[in-house]
Amino acid sequence: MKRNVLVGALATGLALMIAGSTAAAADNNGASRVMVKYKPGSKAHVQQALKASGARVHYTFDELGVFAVSVPEQALKGLRNNPNIEYIENDALRYPSAQTIPYGIDMVQARQVWDNDLNGEIDAGAATGEGMLVCVIDSGIEAGHEDLAGVNLVGGFPKDSWNYDNCGHGTHVAGTIAAANNDLGVVGVTPGKASLYIVKVFGNEDAGQCTWTFSSQLIDAANRCAARGARVINMSLGGDAPTRAESQAFENLNKRGILSVAAAGNDGNPANPIDLDSYPASYDAVLSVGAVDSTKALASFSQKNEQVELTAPGVAVLSTAPSFFAPPVVSGGEEYASVPMANTLVASVTAPLVSGGLCNAPAGDNSWVGKVVLCQRGAASFLVKSQNVA
């Protein structure tokens, strides 16, 4: 059974989902990227062994007794037989999971909370998240976004890029949490009141840009959130392989009273009563949040397993997006904001618009040729949909 304390209405607004699949842990040079757990008192011995093997150290987690390293494949066997090493595990991959009032705001009764002091039990400032520091681990944020104006951005990491979002996902997540209650765009679950600390793990050159990062980088990010004083950590990301080091890291944060919230995952299969676990959401020390649509029906893509504790709005959720990120889609004289998928071309085209439904199979005729095809979410991954359209 998981042990968490919910903090106001924050956790109920954080169901933006993730996509991912198993992949071999390797760095950009093809070396095996692993986490090495050394036995108590053996740090120096293991450091020397890693140096001798030609390993490149990415992170050192003293509180976990773990090195995150890239090691030539041929050196791994010798390290696994080292008596000073407790275990070696893959450094698993983690993937990103995205004034109108979004439907989720009223579904989670956020405005009722803002307008009341909960019978005097807490003050109105606490009810809106004022004074709360939330750490968002994602792809950065467009710090100058007009609907985030006035939100207290206390800083981030890396220091030269946290306030730039070249993927779009992080700005969307941040807006869901804290978009200002003004005359522009949308409004967040905490209406511009919560303070945000941003740790950018997607869109950096040392990982898979917008598509993936490593478990060790997530551990480092979570530790930075805690060091900055965050009481809530949001992670709209995950992967299907757990790591012992990552599990222990979030257990340590939980013992310190820090609430870690993660998406349950969107590799759900409607035909299966129970879906596979996703991590970090499925660790006991992390709050796992599934997705429902505007009718409160469970999203077909949302993963279902014994670790899911909450569901929250997570289908067609309007939120903030970087203004520079992509040109809008124009149809019938109306403009619609667009965020392209990772690794796709950003360009302008003019063509008739046609509905492709779920796009979970090719059209089978020429009805899509030369058209812009609109695909609904569900039934298949974004990759499969785009391949079917192509």
Side-chain angles (χ1 to χ4, degrees), residues 128-190:
T128 59
E130 189 171 3
M132 178 72 66
L133 179 58
V134 178
C135 186
V136 180
I137 301 176
D138 212 286
S139 62
I141 188 172
E142 185 185 344
H145 195 290
E146 60 184 0
D147 212 11
L148 296 170
V151 175
N152 184 22
L153 301 178
V154 302
F157 181 84
K159 64 179 181 179
D160 60 347
S161 63
W162 68 267
N163 54 356
Y164 171 75
D165 184 3
N166 51 325
C167 302
H169 195 263
T171 301
H172 190 282
V173 171
T176 301
I177 298 170
N181 189 9
N182 51 25
D183 295 328
L184 301 169
V186 296
V187 63
V189 176
T190 69

Side-chain angles (χ1 to χ4, degrees), residues 33-48:
R33 180 149 168 167
V34 295
M35 289 193 279
V36 179
K37 175 71 165 70
Y38 54 84
K39 294 180 179 178
S42 300
K43 179 180 178 181
H45 296 289
V46 173
Q47 274 184 312
Q48 185 60 38

